[in-house]
């Protein structure tokens, strides 16, 4: 149980284009989903928290207009990196948590390379 | 402010030897504590968690961790390491909404 998937696992795009990453909870309802960013050999940095049906809460320093998060259903959240630039290249990981549960379950991550 | 310190960036252990990974935290209330493991290029897998009760918690893959409030520590242990345990290990602390992660400890297992 508690499986979270991400799609795609790898994406390469040109600078200036937008990229959408999907995060799905496969066997539970994720009332809250989290988006993290991880640079090589570093820890995870929380970017934003999204609750189903409401606007995402972004961490300080994260541009909400650049990283658009939508959590339209209890099993799906999307992160769209708009007008991507090479500095946006990173490993993006989502996690999901069910209502009343303290544990976050993580997806396998999406590696983004912006050329 | 919440914070997690993993003082060891990397540790090398011989296969079959015991392992202890250190984690110290700073948190204003009773913390929820977690250990996650990450294989290269993968997401995070939950090893174990502590919310309350018995301070020695058992996890998957033979791991255990002990919560010591007086030392603000939550060290991860395994009595006998296998080569497949080589990975990055993250300690995390949080309440109901957010997790704060440590910088991770990379475990190398030598034959």
């Amino acid at each position: 149980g508690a499986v979270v998937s991400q799609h795609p696992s790898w994406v390469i795009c040109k600078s200036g284009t937008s990229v959408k990453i999907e995060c799905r909870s496969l066997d539970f309802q994720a009332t809250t989903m989290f988006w993290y960013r991880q640079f090589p050999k570093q820890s995870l940095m929380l970017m934003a928290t999204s609750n189903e049906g409401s606007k995402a809460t972004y961490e300080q320093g994260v541009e909400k207009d650049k990283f658009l998060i939508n959590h339209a259903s209890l099993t799906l959240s999307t992160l769209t990196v708009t007008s991507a630039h090479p500095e946006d290249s990173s490993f993006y990981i989502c996690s999901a948590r069910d209502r009343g549960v303290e544990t976050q379950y993580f997806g396998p991550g999406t590696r983004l390379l912006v050329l | 402010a919440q914070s997690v310190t993993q003082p060891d960036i990397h540790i090398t252990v011989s296969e079959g030897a015991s392992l202890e990974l250190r984690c110290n935290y700073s948190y204003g209330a009773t913390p929820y504590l977690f250990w996650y493991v990450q294989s290269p290029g993968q997401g995070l897998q939950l090893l174990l968690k502590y919310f309350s009760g018995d301070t020695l918690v058992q996890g998957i893959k033979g791991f255990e961790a002990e919560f010591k409030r007086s030392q603000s520590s939550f060290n991860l242990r395994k009595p006998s390491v296998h080569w497949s345990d080589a990975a990055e290990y993250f300690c995390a602390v949080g309440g109901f909404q957010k997790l704060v992660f440590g910088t991770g400890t990379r475990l190398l297992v030598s034959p």
Side-chain angles (χ1 to χ4, degrees), chain A residues 1-2 5-6 8 20 25 28 33 47 55 65-66 81 99:
Chain A
S5 69
Q6 276 184 248
K20 181 183 284 189
S25 58
F28 67 101
M33 286 186 166
M47 299 174 65
K55 289 185 178 180
D65 294 331
K66 181 165 190 61
V81 183
R99 181 182 296 114

Side-chain angles (χ1 to χ4, degrees), chain B:
Chain B
Q2 305 163 29
S3 67
V4 177
T5 302
Q6 293 181 248
D8 303 305
I9 297 174
H10 45 74
I11 282 181
T12 300
V13 174
S14 298
E15 191 168 15
S18 64
L19 168 71
E20 182 168 30
L21 301 182
R22 295 183 291 167
C23 172
N24 292 94
Y25 67 90
S26 173
Y27 195 75
T30 301
Y32 296 146
L33 294 158
F34 306 83
W35 274 100
Y36 288 89
V37 61
Q38 184 181 35
S39 297
Q42 301 294 314
L44 275 67
Q45 181 182 22
L46 178 67
L47 286 177
L48 48 77
K49 59 190 177 185
Y50 172 79
F51 294 160
S52 64
D54 193 347
T55 56
L56 184 64
V57 293
Q58 302 298 320
I60 62 171
K61 304 184 179 186
F63 286 93
E64 66 178 26
E66 186 171 12
F67 170 58
K68 292 185 177 180
R69 184 186 299 274
S70 61
Q71 299 177 19
S72 296
S73 70
F74 188 58
N75 294 348
L76 182 72
R77 300 194 294 250
K78 186 170 185 178
S80 178
V81 168
H82 188 262
W83 64 266
S84 60
D85 293 324
E88 188 89 20
Y89 290 81
F90 291 96
C91 179
V93 63
F96 212 73
Q97 273 292 95
K98 289 172 60 169
L99 282 182
V100 175
F101 284 86
T103 50
T105 298
R106 180 166 297 277
L107 173 64
L108 305 173
V109 180
S110 60

Side-chain angles (χ1 to χ4, degrees), chain A residues 86-100:
Chain A
E87 58 265 29
D88 298 323
S89 298
S90 191
F91 192 53
Y92 292 88
I93 306 177
C94 73
S95 70
R97 183 173 61 81
D98 195 359
R99 181 182 296 114

